[in-house]
Amino acid sequence: MVDRRYAAGRVSSEANSQLQRVKRAIYKRSELNKNNMHNFRKLKVYTLAKDLVKNVYLMIDTFPTTEKYGLADQLRRAVISVPSNIAEGLGRSTHKDKGHFMQIAYGSLMEVLAQVDIACDLGYISMEQFLKLEELIVEESKLLYGMINSFKDK
């Protein structure tokens, strides 16, 4: 017959050992997350979006003052939304959430394209400026589309 004190002590020891392994795994995961927390800043999709923000803000400075609360304001909101949603999406834990925020960023990017096109039509920017921004937007849209596809069905 097995001594109950021995059996209880053994189970407790095994449970304690398993608990220690789980704690180590959780610690390692939290350390990895801590180290990866800001990795989105190194991604080309994010750095290109920031470059687009800088270019659009510089372009807006040349707009007439009458556009301060119109097209300029709307353009500022749309362009800053692109890197913001990329960062927020990559900070999420599920692939579904990540993909959702990439889609929002893509929608904001298309809004920027439409507004830059309108700014060109209104004569606020030259065709050369438009083409330069359009090139950046097209490159960013390809990167975002790739990100969206990478998070689908996972």
Side-chain angles (χ1 to χ4, degrees):
M1 191 167 210
V2 177
D3 185 358
R4 288 184 187 193
R5 288 176 293 168
Y6 174 74
R10 185 172 174 203
V11 170
S12 175
S13 174
E14 287 174 9
N16 190 32
S17 166
Q18 186 175 6
L19 180 63
Q20 292 304 318
R21 282 193 301 272
V22 169
K23 283 182 178 179
R24 280 192 299 272
I26 290 170
Y27 176 77
K28 283 182 183 177
R29 183 173 291 156
S30 70
E31 285 300 304
L32 281 173
N33 287 340
K34 208 183 297 179
N35 293 335
N36 291 331
M37 192 180 305
H38 303 289
N39 278 350
F40 70 87
R41 294 171 59 204
K42 298 176 184 173
L43 296 176
K44 185 173 182 179
V45 69
Y46 177 77
T47 58
L48 188 63
K50 280 187 13 181
D51 289 344
L52 182 62
V53 170
K54 290 177 203 169
N55 281 295
V56 168
Y57 269 61
L58 290 172
M59 175 196 71
I60 290 171
D61 285 343
T62 67
F63 281 16
T65 55
T66 56
E67 278 301 331
K68 183 177 181 182
Y69 299 108
L71 183 59
D73 186 50
Q74 188 64 29
L75 195 45
R76 267 191 211 95
R77 290 171 190 264
V79 77
I80 201 69
S81 176
V82 178
S84 299
N85 278 293
I86 292 168
E88 186 170 355
L90 293 173
R92 297 296 175 129
S93 58
T94 67
H95 289 292
K96 183 179 179 182
D97 283 345
K98 290 176 192 295
H100 176 72
F101 279 94
M102 295 308 122
Q103 289 173 336
I104 293 170
Y106 186 85
S108 294
L109 186 65
M110 293 301 104
E111 189 177 348
V112 170
L113 178 59
Q115 293 163 0
V116 169
D117 188 30
I118 292 167
C120 185
D121 289 348
L122 293 172
Y124 297 160
I125 62 170
S126 67
M127 181 56 76
E128 184 182 319
Q129 288 174 300
F130 171 77
L131 293 174
K132 180 183 173 193
L133 287 170
E134 183 185 39
E135 186 179 321
L136 279 173
I137 291 168
V138 167
E139 187 178 350
E140 179 69 8
S141 70
K142 289 175 183 176
L143 293 171
L144 271 173
Y145 192 73
M147 295 285 286
I148 291 166
N149 284 334
S150 76
F151 294 123
K152 278 186 181 174
D153 303 324
K154 288 190 176 184

